[in-house]
Amino acid sequence: MYLRLLPVLYFILPFVQSSRGGRDVSCGSVIKLMNLAHKVRLHSHDVKYGSGSGQQSVTGVSTSEDVNSHWVVKGPTDKEQCNRGDPVECGDKVRLEHITTHKN
């Protein structure tokens, strides 16, 4: 999943940092990602596609306060974990885990 989102993260992470008063996004941070062009947030439920991959669906929603739009920043793989509180630098590979379903 992180490979598909990587271009989005390059665009979003500077926005997230500046919107939080200059504080860095770090490993273990819970974040919401917004597509600024469409004003929707990355969102998911434990609903799987009926055909094809069977993976969890991820969509965009305009609702601002929904727990299904929260994601945890993690290391790129289970073997390449990052330490909670370590800042995420530009170009770092990260994985997003959906806070409600614990899937990434």
Side-chain angles (χ1 to χ4, degrees), residues 6-22:
L6 205 50
V8 174
L9 291 175
Y10 283 129
F11 174 74
I12 293 292
L13 283 178
F15 171 76
V16 172
Q17 290 174 348
S18 65
S19 72
R20 296 183 65 197

Side-chain angles (χ1 to χ4, degrees), residues 68-87:
N68 288 307
S69 296
H70 293 118
W71 303 83
V72 177
V73 178
K74 297 187 126 190
T77 67
D78 284 336
K79 293 180 181 179
E80 295 179 73
Q81 296 181 9
C82 55
N83 295 318
R84 185 177 182 90
D86 286 350

Side-chain angles (χ1 to χ4, degrees), residues 3-44:
L3 290 177
R4 291 185 205 146
L5 290 175
L6 205 50
V8 174
L9 291 175
Y10 283 129
F11 174 74
I12 293 292
L13 283 178
F15 171 76
V16 172
Q17 290 174 348
S18 65
S19 72
R20 296 183 65 197
R23 292 184 290 167
D24 291 332
V25 172
S26 61
C27 290
S29 291
V30 176
I31 61 173
K32 292 192 283 186
L33 297 174
M34 176 183 272
N35 178 313
L36 297 175
H38 298 284
K39 303 288 191 235
V40 294
R41 287 168 180 77
L42 190 67
H43 185 86
S44 188

